């Protein structure tokens, strides 16, 4: 049985109240009491404190019935801002969101080098830039979450980043010293799966998200919590061997899945076959629409190898929802049907298979959401992007 003193119980109640206000967008005190099971006095006290802290605001709901309009509570979207960063091998993406999780600003910076100190300097410069932009808000920049395309320990230190060849780096401490902002470090695939749960599938008890970009990572959400393993290394599914004695991988093994089914491996092979460097997504889309035989053949092979790994994942985890995060597959109209045609096992079962709507924004959006969750100190978070408010009402300094 869980026990605690009055302050602990108050903290639990506060977390529950904030979660439900965010989930419903706008809710009255009376409805909040019904949903949470807390008495009206507790709701009133907590609401008064949150109003005084400027974390929530009061509004009156429009209605045509006679009588007094109910006073509604909602999160103060502009009380603070969360910065999500996707640190990939060649590009760093920065996304700023308000407390509702709506993105207000997103941009990318290309990087040519892997020098750790240079990248720390670049990150610190950008974080301080966003910090200054957010000074008008009561809580300013509430936190920064960085998605790493590599192995992250449970203590948020970086164990290994294959492309940059970083070993045992404490980016969290290094950036906090440079910026004075709360920094959180997480694996990119975990953040992608967190974005799917928070924005799209918050009712799911069992969701997997496979990210297919510079490598392949698996984010595992069970009962709304990330399954990370004893050290934090769970989900490195790209290093599952699917071709014995196959292509060499940066991890030291041969025949790893990501050598055959990551987008970087596909684009490398496509560039070679088309005798050009660094093909773009626009070029791939054009070749697919034109039914270019080289591109079509490579795409068929790519989906075959992708399906091998997905079949293994399904057999291992029996997911309720399996989300594939891939810009490449978003360009290919028949992708899902062709993948499903390869998943013919009568043993492996899943309920829903889909391609992520977020694409390459999944990691940075998940990072923004995790920053909000950490700042508000809540157990559950359910967000909805308000498209009409995106790119509006943010004061640029």
């Amino acid at each position: 049985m869980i026990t605690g003193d009055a302050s602990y119980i108050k903290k639990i109640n506060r977390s529950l109240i904030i979660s439900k206000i965010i989930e419903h967008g706008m809710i009255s005190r009376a409805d909040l009491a019904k949903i949470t099971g807390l008495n009206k006095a507790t709701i009133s006290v907590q609401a008064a404190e949150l109003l005084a802290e400027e974390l929530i605001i009061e509004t009156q709901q429009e209605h045509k019935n006679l009588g007094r309009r109910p006073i509604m509570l909602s999160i103060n979207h502009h009380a603070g801002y969360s910065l999500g960063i996707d640190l990939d091998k060649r590009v760093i993406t920065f996304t700023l969101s308000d407390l509702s999780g709506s993105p207000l600003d997103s941009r990318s910076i290309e990087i040519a080098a892997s020098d750790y100190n240079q990248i720390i300097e670049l990150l610190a410069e950008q974080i301080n830039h966003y910090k200054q932009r957010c000074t008008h808000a009561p809580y300013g920049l509430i936190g920064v979450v960085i998605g790493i395309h590599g192995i992250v320990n449970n203590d948020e230190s970086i164990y290994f980043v294959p492309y940059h060849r970083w070993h045992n780096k404490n980016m969290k401490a290094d950036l906090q010293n440079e910026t004075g902002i709360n920094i959180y470090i997480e694996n990119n695939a975990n953040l992608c799966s967190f974005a799917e749960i928070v924005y799209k599938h918050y009712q799911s008890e069992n969701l997997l998200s496979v990210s297919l970009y510079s490598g392949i990572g698996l984010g595992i959400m069970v009962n709304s919590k990330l399954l990370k393993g004893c050290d934090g290394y769970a989900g490195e599914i790209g290093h599952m061997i699917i071709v014995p004695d196959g292509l060499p991988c940066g991890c030291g093994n041969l025949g790893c899945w990501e050598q055959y089914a990551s987008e970087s491996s596909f684009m490398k092979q496509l560039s070679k076959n088309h005798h050009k460097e660094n093909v773009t997504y626009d070029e791939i889309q054009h070749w697919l629409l034109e039914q270019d035989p080289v591109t079509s053949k490579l795409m068929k092979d790519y989906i075959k190898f992708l399906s091998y790994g997905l079949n293994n994942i399904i057999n291992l985890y029996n997911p309720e929802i399996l989300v594939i995060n891939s810009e490449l597959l978003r360009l290919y109209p028949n992708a899902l049907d062709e993948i499903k045609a390869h998943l013919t096992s009568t043993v492996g079962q899943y309920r829903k298979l889909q391609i992520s709507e977020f694409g390459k924004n999944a990691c940075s959006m998940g990072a923004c959401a995790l920053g909000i969750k950490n700042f508000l100190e809540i157990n559950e978070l359910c967000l909805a992007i308000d498209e009409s408010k995106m790119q509006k009402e943010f004061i640029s300094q």
Side-chain angles (χ1 to χ4, degrees):
M1 181 175 67
I2 298 176
T3 61
D5 58 16
S7 63
Y8 177 70
I9 298 301
K10 182 177 180 180
K11 184 177 181 179
I12 292 175
N13 291 342
R14 175 189 172 95
S15 171
L16 178 60
I17 288 168
I18 293 174
S19 293
K20 294 303 177 184
I21 290 173
I22 293 174
E23 180 180 341
H24 290 269
M26 185 181 293
I27 190 170
S28 68
R29 288 170 174 80
D31 287 340
L32 200 52
K34 291 177 185 177
I35 290 170
T36 62
L38 300 173
N39 62 53
K40 293 181 179 180
T42 298
I43 296 292
S44 294
V45 170
Q46 290 270 9
E49 291 184 2
L50 292 170
L51 285 165
E53 295 171 21
E54 298 185 70
L55 286 175
I56 64 173
I57 56 175
E58 289 182 323
T59 54
Q60 284 192 313
Q61 190 177 38
E62 294 291 338
H63 74 138
K64 298 180 181 180
N65 297 330
L66 296 175
R68 184 178 177 182
R69 290 184 295 174
I71 296 175
M72 312 297 286
L73 303 175
S74 59
I75 195 74
N76 181 1
H77 296 180
H78 306 300
Y81 299 90
S82 179
L83 180 62
I85 301 176
D86 181 3
L87 177 53
D88 206 343
K89 65 179 184 180
R90 294 193 183 94
V91 176
I92 306 176
T93 301
F94 300 84
T95 299
L96 189 76
S97 80
D98 60 23
L99 288 191
S100 73
S102 294
L104 303 166
D105 180 89
S106 186
R107 64 195 185 96
S108 298
I109 297 177
E110 292 188 3
I111 50 176
S114 291
D115 183 79
Y116 177 77
N117 292 326
Q118 288 183 20
I119 291 179
I120 285 292
E121 183 179 350
L122 171 62
L123 289 171
E125 178 185 351
Q126 292 299 316
I127 291 169
N128 283 323
H129 164 73
Y130 281 102
K131 178 182 177 181
Q132 182 61 33
R133 285 185 63 183
C134 298
T135 53
H136 64 281
Y139 293 91
L141 187 61
I142 61 171
V144 177
V145 180
I146 303 175
I148 301 296
H149 292 242
I151 302 173
V152 178
N153 293 316
N154 280 331
D155 64 3
E156 297 182 66
S157 62
I158 296 172
Y159 175 68
F160 181 51
V161 178
Y163 180 80
H164 295 302
R165 312 305 298 177
W166 295 344
H167 292 269
N168 300 317
K169 299 294 185 181
N170 195 344
M171 182 176 283
K172 180 183 179 77
D174 292 340
L175 286 174
Q176 284 182 166
N177 291 336
E178 293 290 330
T179 65
I181 294 290
N182 289 326
I183 305 291
Y184 304 93
I185 308 296
E186 185 55 88
N187 171 267
N188 74 297
N190 287 342
L191 291 175
C192 290
S193 65
F194 190 68
E196 297 294 339
I197 279 284
V198 167
Y199 287 101
K200 298 291 182 180
H201 305 288
Y202 63 91
Q203 294 179 329
S204 173
E205 297 291 323
N206 189 311
L207 179 143
L208 305 180
S209 174
V210 184
S211 299
L212 305 176
Y213 295 107
S214 55
I216 298 181
L218 177 68
I220 308 164
M221 298 292 301
V222 179
N223 297 327
S224 300
K225 293 183 179 180
L226 283 167
L227 180 64
K228 301 171 71 172
C230 64
D231 295 312
Y233 305 165
E236 291 297 325
I237 203 73
H239 300 289
M240 164 179 61
I241 295 173
I242 64 166
V243 179
D245 301 319
L247 296 172
C249 181
C251 74
N253 284 327
L254 301 175
C256 290
W257 189 30
E258 67 180 40
Q259 297 304 313
Y260 300 86
S262 65
E263 289 197 0
S264 62
S265 67
F266 174 84
M267 297 180 87
K268 180 180 179 181
Q269 187 63 41
L270 189 63
S271 296
K272 179 181 177 181
N273 285 27
H274 275 280
H275 307 291
K276 63 182 303 181
E277 292 186 7
N278 302 324
V279 299
T280 65
Y281 288 111
D282 287 339
E283 288 175 317
I284 294 172
Q285 186 173 34
H286 172 73
W287 289 330
L288 288 173
L289 289 173
E290 293 294 317
Q291 297 183 340
D292 169 67
V294 171
T295 307
S296 297
K297 172 64 167 59
L298 286 178
M299 197 69 190
K300 297 290 184 184
D301 292 341
Y302 175 80
I303 285 182
K304 179 180 68 174
F305 281 112
L306 174 61
S307 301
Y308 291 162
L310 293 177
N311 181 76
N312 293 342
I313 291 172
I314 291 167
N315 285 331
L316 280 169
Y317 294 101
N318 179 215
E320 177 184 358
I321 300 174
L322 177 54
V323 181
I324 308 171
N325 192 285
S326 167
E327 284 289 337
L328 179 61
L329 295 182
R330 282 155 56 92
L331 302 177
Y332 190 53
N334 299 323
L336 271 183
D337 289 338
E338 292 190 17
I339 290 169
K340 289 177 180 178
H342 286 285
L343 303 177
T344 57
S345 171
T346 57
V347 176
Q349 297 294 320
Y350 61 91
R351 293 187 184 177
K352 188 174 184 180
L353 177 68
Q354 68 178 68
I355 297 171
S356 174
E357 297 176 17
F358 288 112
K360 283 202 167 184
N361 296 318
C363 177
S364 60
M365 288 296 293
C368 287
L370 185 59
I372 294 168
K373 182 177 182 290
N374 290 341
F375 169 69
L376 295 175
E377 297 181 302
I378 56 180
N379 294 322
E380 295 182 0
L381 183 63
C382 170
L383 298 173
I385 300 176
D386 187 344
E387 300 287 346
S388 66
K389 292 184 178 180
M390 288 173 62
Q391 304 292 346
K392 295 180 181 179
E393 298 181 349
F394 182 72
I395 301 175
S396 178
Q397 299 295 328

